[in-house]
Amino acid sequence: AVVSTQSTGIQSNLRVDMIIYEDDDDDQIPNSYSQRGAPVPIDHVEEEEIQQACKPKIVLMGMRRSGKTSIRKVVFHKMSANETIFLESTTKVETDISKNSFIDYVIHEVPGQVEAFEESSCIDNGHLVEGKCALIFVIDVLEDEPSRKDAVDRLVREVGRLANRKPLHNLEVFVFIHKVDGLSDEQRADDLRTIDNLVNYELSEAGIQIRPKSRLTSVYDYSIFEAMSIVGQRLIPELLPTFEALLNALKEPCSMDRVLLFDVATKCYIATDTESVPTNKYEMCCDMLDLVADISNIYTSQDCPSFYDNQSFSRVQLENGTVILTKYICNNLTLVCLLQESCLSELGLIEYNIAKFSDGIAEVLKTNGE
């Protein structure tokens, strides 16, 4: 079935042209919404199954009430940020696997009262960081200076213990300076500089040769998804250069402003062209993905397993002349292109190049066994 829709005047500045294809035989992904709006929960798996799985891992650590559970629920479970205020504190290590994402992350959340890698602990948690792993230490920016110092000391102790047990070449360390939504830009910059300098100083004093990447985050805006995008990219070093090269090869001949490859399950971008992505551009892309999902829910039947297949394509034109194109590629990946209205005169060329790009991505994934 083919449904074509047109709508004008959305928020008084959008023009939407969407084509939604439904084909049970095509490559489809599970709908991000069950019963039209409720997210499909990420499967919970037993610990012994996780130990056997060779998958990239994300370990969330931090002090109590720093926001670890909120991050996990908002990014990987599609929970509304407003609902996170009702979450209870985590009392034991929680493990999820994001089966509907492009990257099958294994996500471990360590409760704040637990020092996971303490040598005297009766439980060996070394398996949490086996293989490719990103350790995310969450610091509540709203805490006072002594509490921040305690958090940094905890981070240094845990990373130091890991360094004594194994080489850290497979471990990426990130510091999420969290709950910044209520701060001014000046306060954010000051807190980022202060905490980042403190972390690097304490690690250097402890003789640990690792420099974490610090990010300002909040579950109430897109900053947490941006930060998780950077984390995800560091977990696929064998794919990222090829993805970036393909995106650049698509961008130049089509005169596009930005091109990004999104994981539709998490709204994190897996790769982009070599230019950095301004926050407002990233927010525009996320809004576009939400718009496609919302409108597709209207025109897709209740029993359809997905509103994405390999022919899904949509276009939004803003009042300022910016055009946003989305095209589902494969394996839960969607291409999002930002370009100017004048480029639409070569729409046939753009669609041809996107088709070639899709073939290239499929070939790369086939070669890498994804």
Side-chain angles (χ1 to χ4, degrees):
V2 179
V3 181
S4 181
T5 70
Q6 283 195 343
S7 173
T8 58
I10 298 178
Q11 296 183 351
S12 301
N13 65 346
L14 294 180
R15 179 175 182 273
V16 183
D17 300 296
M18 299 185 62
I19 301 177
I20 304 166
Y21 293 85
E22 300 172 23
D23 186 346
D24 292 337
D25 296 329
D26 286 326
D27 177 24
Q28 294 186 329
I29 68 169
N31 196 328
S32 298
Y33 302 83
S34 65
Q35 299 180 357
R36 294 297 172 259
V40 177
I42 295 172
D43 295 336
H44 189 75
V45 295
E46 297 298 327
E47 191 63 37
E48 56 267 26
E49 294 179 90
I50 291 298
Q51 292 182 33
Q52 298 173 4
C54 183
K55 299 179 183 296
K57 298 175 180 64
I58 293 176
V59 180
L60 286 163
M61 302 183 70
M63 309 300 277
R64 294 183 71 254
R65 310 303 299 178
S66 59
K68 303 179 296 297
T69 306
S70 298
I71 291 172
R72 181 167 61 91
K73 293 293 186 181
V74 168
V75 176
F76 298 104
H77 290 258
K78 300 300 182 186
M79 178 179 282
S80 166
N82 293 327
E83 295 179 75
T84 60
I85 61 175
F86 303 109
L87 291 172
E88 297 181 357
S89 295
T90 303
T91 57
K92 60 183 180 64
V93 176
E94 296 284 349
T95 300
D96 291 327
I97 182 168
S98 56
K99 289 185 176 180
N100 293 339
S101 301
F102 167 69
I103 305 173
D104 288 343
Y105 298 109
V106 176
I107 305 106
H108 300 293
E109 181 190 341
V110 180
Q113 65 271 24
V114 174
E115 298 207 14
F117 308 113
E118 190 173 12
E119 295 177 359
S120 61
S121 173
C122 59
I123 300 176
D124 183 6
N125 288 313
H127 66 276
L128 298 182
V129 292
E130 288 179 351
K132 296 176 185 175
C133 180
L135 190 156
I136 301 174
F137 198 91
V138 184
I139 297 179
D140 185 350
V141 74
L142 303 180
E143 292 285 3
D144 56 23
E145 290 298 326
S147 298
R148 289 185 187 181
K149 181 64 166 58
D150 289 342
V152 173
D153 290 342
R154 167 79 69 85
L155 168 62
V156 173
R157 286 198 302 272
E158 295 286 41
V159 174
R161 289 163 182 159
L162 286 174
N164 291 333
R165 297 175 60 162
K166 56 184 295 186
L168 299 181
H169 59 273
N170 279 332
L171 181 69
E172 298 284 346
V173 180
F174 295 84
V175 175
F176 282 9
I177 302 169
H178 198 48
K179 304 181 184 179
V180 301
D181 46 279
L183 304 182
S184 66
D185 290 342
E186 184 178 352
Q187 286 177 302
R188 293 186 185 200
D190 184 58
D191 286 327
L192 174 62
R193 181 174 56 255
T194 300
I195 295 176
D196 187 57
N197 288 341
L198 179 60
V199 168
N200 286 319
Y201 173 78
E202 294 294 341
L203 287 170
S204 178
E205 285 294 295
I208 302 171
Q209 301 300 315
I210 192 169
R211 293 296 175 265
K213 296 84 179 171
S214 299
R215 305 287 300 187
L216 296 168
T217 60
S218 170
V219 296
Y220 289 95
D221 55 33
Y222 288 118
S223 60
I224 189 60
F225 296 98
E226 278 192 280
M228 277 297 182
S229 297
I230 304 302
V231 172
Q233 290 172 21
R234 300 306 291 258
L235 293 177
I236 53 169
E238 69 283 356
L239 292 175
L240 188 60
T242 307
F243 284 173
E244 290 178 346
L246 287 170
L247 288 166
N248 283 318
L250 171 66
K251 174 187 174 183
E252 297 303 329
C254 297
S255 301
M256 296 175 177
D257 295 333
R258 293 287 190 281
V259 283
L260 302 94
L261 197 59
F262 271 85
D263 180 344
V264 295
T266 62
K267 286 195 297 190
C268 297
Y269 61 89
I270 299 299
T272 181
D273 58 86
T274 50
E275 293 188 45
S276 61
V277 182
T279 298
N280 64 327
K281 301 288 186 183
Y282 175 74
E283 292 174 352
M284 232 189 295
C285 294
C286 289
D287 288 340
M288 177 65 175
L289 294 175
D290 287 337
L291 180 65
V292 171
D294 292 341
I295 296 182
S296 297
N297 274 327
I298 299 173
Y299 293 101
T300 307
S301 61
Q302 291 282 342
D303 57 351
C304 181
S306 170
F307 48 73
Y308 283 109
D309 62 31
N310 59 9
Q311 297 186 74
S312 297
F313 177 85
S314 59
R315 182 178 76 195
V316 164
Q317 184 171 323
L318 305 182
E319 197 173 51
N320 63 5
T322 300
V323 176
I324 311 175
L325 302 178
T326 70
K327 175 69 173 71
Y328 179 70
I329 306 301
C330 63
N331 292 46
N332 305 341
L333 294 176
T334 288
L335 177 70
V336 180
C337 308
L338 302 178
L339 58 155
Q340 296 303 307
E341 182 181 3
S342 58
C343 298
L344 294 181
S345 60
E346 301 292 340
L347 186 57
L349 175 64
I350 291 173
E351 291 178 344
Y352 175 82
N353 286 336
I354 288 176
K356 290 300 182 183
F357 172 85
S358 300
D359 293 342
I361 291 291
E363 185 65 28
V364 170
L365 297 180
K366 181 179 178 181
T367 302
N368 285 270
E370 296 291 332

